[in-house]
Amino acid sequence: MTDLLGDPIEPERRRGRGAGSNPANRYERLCTSRTDDGWERPSDAEVRTRVDIDSSRTILARNTSPDVPFDRSVNPYRGCEHGCVYCFARPTHAHLGFSPGLDFETRLLAKPNAAALLAEALRKPGYTAAPIAIGTNTDPYQPVEKDWRIMRQVLEVLWEHRHPVTITTKGSLLTRDIDLMRKMARENIVRVTVSLTTLDNRLSRAMEPRCAAPARRLAMVKELTRNGIPTGIGLAPIVPGLTDHEIEHLLRAGAEAGADFATFIMLRLPLEVAPLFEDWLAREFPERAAKIMNRVREMHGGKSYDSQWFKRLRGEGVHARLIARRFELARKKFGLDCERTQLRTDLFRLPPRKGDQLTLGL
């Protein structure tokens, strides 16, 4: 296992991280390696999280993908400290010149001007409201949000504009913002999906080392629904041969916590994620690694990943159909097959700003 320069990363240095290596990203033309010449002692310091400022001048990301239920999203951060080894967003870090490995979970970029950029985007002439998805790429409630509070500011802007939003997270920090979400829920402009992968604490710590524990996420579902906030669970991802046996247990637990609906996606291993995940499997489950990867490839036409629309999220083949069928039967059994209510868009407004001309109440 090597870092960006080819140096070994000892387990003590990457304690509490998902990736076991930090390979050069796919855009690097040259790879270098540090050699010990006897003069300098290699660092044994623990790899720590570093947060830099993202100077992006836009905040709304648009997409036209026909297999996702939203056309716009906001990402308060780039990279994610949760460290989920399976995260399909890891390759996006290569665009920044970083590694999709350890860099993705330790070299973060924050967007402190996200709320201001969003407020300006919503005021652009011709803007039409539709639900904004947050948490589809990196988690808005990852640990650094406690200090940066960017997601909180974004929610405040959305509330002021009465703009609909959907939130997907594994972070228990979300409960900090229940006061805002409660008001938004009364107007039917917010919906939350809490991601669940397993009920096994040991497996969860290994796969997603800095996420809230499974029981804490279920408690979060209970707290959200008790406050009248529409909340569902997302089995994301289902890992064939590793977590698929838990489908029914996860859905039962979600229903008992008060969830209104349930969704799922299959494990996705694009680009650099595949070797990172295989390396993790070899370390954590050496006796099952080959079987798990064979099942993954079977669902993607013999490859680790197939990026075709409508296949990338669910896979194909006998086992993919079996998992989908089990999910649908269990979802119906536990009452999680209700249609998600459409969020309102007709309440969208532009709040007055300092210097605006007041309207006459005629």
Side-chain angles (χ1 to χ4, degrees):
M1 274 157 302
T2 61
D3 66 13
L4 196 57
L5 298 177
D7 303 317
I9 299 178
E10 299 299 328
E12 294 77 16
R13 292 190 62 210
R14 53 177 172 78
R15 184 168 53 244
R17 305 294 181 178
S21 59
N22 209 35
N25 71 67
R26 60 190 179 279
Y27 300 119
E28 294 288 340
R29 295 180 58 190
L30 299 174
C31 295
T32 59
S33 178
R34 182 183 297 134
T35 300
D36 182 9
D37 59 5
W39 288 94
E40 184 178 354
R41 181 184 178 87
S43 172
D44 57 359
E46 182 179 347
V47 179
R48 297 189 178 278
T49 301
R50 169 180 168 179
V51 184
D52 293 310
I53 301 298
D54 185 309
S55 57
S56 297
R57 290 181 288 182
T58 60
I59 194 64
L60 272 182
R62 299 277 186 166
N63 82 85
T64 56
S65 303
D67 58 348
V68 295
F70 59 88
D71 67 354
R72 65 200 74 182
S73 59
V74 165
N75 293 294
Y77 302 94
R78 298 194 193 207
C80 187
E81 197 179 6
H82 278 158
C84 303
V85 69
Y86 51 73
C87 183
F88 69 87
R90 284 181 176 272
T92 62
H93 236 43
H95 302 312
L96 306 174
F98 296 137
S99 170
L102 202 59
D103 279 353
F104 179 77
E105 47 196 287
T106 60
R107 296 292 303 275
L108 311 181
L109 275 78
K111 303 178 183 180
N113 61 342
L117 289 173
L118 179 58
E120 289 302 315
L122 300 183
R123 284 183 174 274
K124 286 186 175 180
Y127 179 82
T128 302
I132 291 175
I134 306 181
T136 58
N137 197 53
T138 58
D139 202 311
Y141 287 106
Q142 57 182 289
V144 293
E145 165 66 14
K146 182 178 181 180
D147 295 323
W148 287 82
R149 297 177 66 84
I150 299 173
M151 180 59 182
R152 172 76 186 194
Q153 296 166 27
V154 166
L155 274 182
E156 288 170 347
V157 168
L158 292 171
W159 168 241
E160 289 170 357
H161 289 75
R162 301 300 189 267
H163 194 292
V165 61
T166 63
I167 302 167
T168 302
T169 186
K170 297 184 180 77
S172 60
L173 186 58
L174 173 142
T175 56
R176 176 200 65 190
D177 296 336
I178 279 182
D179 61 322
L180 271 175
M181 295 181 197
R182 188 188 303 118
K183 292 188 290 187
M184 298 176 83
R186 293 193 192 109
E187 305 289 347
N188 189 26
I189 56 172
V190 66
R191 182 168 62 238
V192 177
T193 301
V194 176
S195 294
L196 291 172
T197 48
T198 178
L199 297 176
D200 183 328
N201 284 326
R202 188 262 176 194
L203 178 56
S204 180
R205 281 195 301 272
M207 279 202 305
E208 40 198 27
R210 299 200 175 201
C211 291
R216 182 66 188 92
R217 284 181 241 175
L218 289 168
M220 181 165 61
V221 172
K222 187 174 296 186
E223 188 172 356
L224 287 165
T225 56
R226 187 170 61 242
N227 279 275
I229 300 163
T231 306
I233 59 169
L235 276 53
I238 293 176
V239 183
L242 186 62
T243 66
D244 54 334
H245 67 284
E246 293 191 70
I247 292 173
E248 291 80 4
H249 301 294
L250 287 164
L251 292 175
R252 180 197 297 272
E256 290 174 351
D260 302 318
F261 61 90
T263 63
F264 87 93
I265 61 172
M266 205 69 73
L267 177 69
R268 299 167 59 183
L269 300 176
L271 301 169
E272 294 96 339
V273 187
L276 287 167
F277 183 76
E278 290 188 64
D279 175 66
W280 176 82
L281 277 178
R283 284 186 283 114
E284 298 290 338
F285 299 96
E287 74 289 349
R288 299 164 64 182
K291 178 181 178 181
I292 292 169
M293 286 309 302
N294 286 340
R295 189 61 54 84
V296 169
R297 294 187 184 100
E298 181 184 331
M299 292 183 175
H300 294 289
K303 300 178 291 185
S304 297
Y305 179 62
D306 185 347
S307 62
Q308 291 185 67
W309 286 326
F310 302 106
K311 292 183 179 180
R312 58 180 182 163
L313 301 179
R314 298 295 176 90
E316 59 182 339
V318 173
H319 288 288
R321 291 194 295 271
L322 177 61
I323 285 175
R325 180 60 175 161
R326 284 176 54 200
F327 175 84
E328 290 300 331
L329 288 173
R331 183 167 72 156
K332 183 176 182 179
K333 176 180 179 181
F334 298 119
L336 298 173
D337 58 339
C338 302
E339 287 294 323
R340 285 171 284 182
T341 57
Q342 294 295 315
L343 300 181
R344 294 186 65 174
T345 60
D346 59 308
L347 300 177
F348 176 65
R349 67 182 191 182
L350 297 181
R353 296 185 297 186
K354 185 177 181 180
D356 285 352
Q357 183 176 350
L358 297 177
T359 58
L360 296 175
L362 300 178

